[in-house]
């Protein structure tokens, strides 16, 4: 059984995601305190503030997080500014802290999720059937100083110049036929 910690904004889609995990015997939902003692996957659909706080206040928790599934960011454009997606832009410093943590992060970016119904369910689908997704390993950082680029996710997946640290995978494609089985 896989332990899951959910860091979600309040929404109908996120409630549906929570229900999926509660009704699936392969998963066990845990609270923030339990991250100190149990290996887990963290799913974030909203700002990364809560997760950054957990990582900064209890270093032991970072050792127990196997991966972070993040519904947010983008490798190309934003929805709050031309460069920044709302879940990153809401707290750029927390986002940067999480991306610098060294924990493996799977990014379900705006460019992939924009036209999908039930995008909040993507982490559940990913944990159930990875063959639905094509991902690419990459380095990713958050712009924290730029005036017009504040909150931009800088990703090296399409670049000749590569970042030293590659702790992320970005979803590049989703098999829309297969995903229909889950939503």
């Amino acid at each position: 059984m896989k332990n899951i910690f959910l860091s979600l904004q309040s929404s109908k889609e996120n409630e549906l995601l929570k229900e999926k995990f509660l009704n699936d015997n392969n998963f066990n939902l845990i609270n923030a305190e339990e991250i100190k003692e149990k290996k887990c996957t963290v799913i974030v659909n909203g700002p990364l503030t809560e997760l950054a706080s957990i990582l900064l206040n209890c270093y032991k928790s970072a050792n127990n997080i196997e991966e972070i599934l993040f519904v947010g960011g983008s490798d190309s454009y934003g929805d709050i500014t031309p460069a920044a997606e709302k879940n990153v832009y809401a707290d750029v410093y927390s986002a940067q802290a999480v991306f610098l943590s060294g924990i493996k992060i799977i990014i379900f970016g705006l460019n992939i999720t924009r036209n999908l119904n039930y995008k909040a369910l993507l982490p559940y689908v990913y944990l159930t059937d990875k063959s639905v997704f094509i991902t690419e390993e990459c380095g990713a950082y958050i712009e924290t100083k730029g005036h017009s680029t504040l909150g931009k996710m800088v990703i090296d997946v399409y670049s000749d110049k590569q970042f030293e640290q590659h702790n992320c995978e970005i979803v590049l494609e989703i098999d829309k036929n297969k995903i229909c089985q889950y939503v």
Side-chain angles (χ1 to χ4, degrees):
M1 185 175 315
K2 188 164 196 60
N3 293 314
I4 305 292
F5 173 71
L6 300 174
S7 178
L8 309 173
Q9 285 186 313
S10 181
S11 74
K12 288 180 185 177
E13 272 195 52
N14 284 338
E15 284 302 315
L16 185 58
L17 174 66
K18 188 175 179 182
E19 273 183 47
K20 284 275 195 190
F21 282 114
L22 286 170
N23 293 322
D24 190 325
N25 292 332
N26 295 307
F27 301 102
N28 176 46
L29 293 183
I30 64 172
N31 63 43
E33 280 298 309
E34 292 176 286
I35 295 174
K36 295 176 190 172
E37 295 100 32
K38 297 178 179 179
K39 295 281 186 193
C40 68
T41 292
V42 174
I43 296 172
V44 180
N45 188 1
L48 290 151
T49 308
E50 180 182 26
L51 180 55
S53 178
I54 290 168
L55 293 173
L56 293 171
N57 291 314
C58 183
Y59 301 111
K60 192 176 185 182
S61 297
N63 295 330
N64 286 333
I65 298 173
E66 296 173 319
E67 63 186 350
I68 299 164
L69 306 182
F70 176 51
V71 181
S74 174
D75 67 354
S76 51
Y77 56 85
D79 57 354
I80 294 295
T81 73
E85 184 273 335
K86 69 180 178 181
N87 290 339
V88 173
Y89 190 79
D91 189 347
V92 296
Y93 299 105
S94 289
Q96 180 69 324
V98 171
F99 276 83
L100 291 176
S101 70
I103 299 169
K104 180 181 176 185
I105 302 171
I106 310 300
I107 304 164
F108 301 88
L110 177 65
N111 49 312
I112 291 297
T113 64
R114 179 169 233 144
N115 296 319
L116 283 178
N117 293 324
Y118 304 109
K119 62 183 157 234
L121 295 178
L122 292 177
Y124 174 80
V125 176
Y126 180 84
L127 291 172
T128 306
D129 183 2
K130 288 182 176 70
S131 74
V132 173
F133 305 92
I134 294 174
T135 65
E136 179 80 29
E137 187 179 279
C138 63
Y141 293 91
I142 308 303
E143 176 60 54
T144 59
K145 296 181 181 170
H147 175 70
S148 60
T149 58
L150 182 70
K152 178 172 180 48
M153 184 177 283
V154 181
I155 296 178
D156 66 0
V157 75
Y158 301 113
S159 176
D160 291 337
K161 173 72 173 144
Q162 297 289 297
F163 292 124
E164 287 182 30
Q165 185 179 11
H166 274 200
N167 64 306
C168 299
E169 285 183 41
I170 188 162
V171 174
L172 299 175
E173 291 182 43
I174 297 173
D175 184 330
K176 293 193 170 122
N177 293 325
K178 281 187 180 179
I179 203 163
C180 290
Q181 300 171 39
Y182 297 96
V183 294

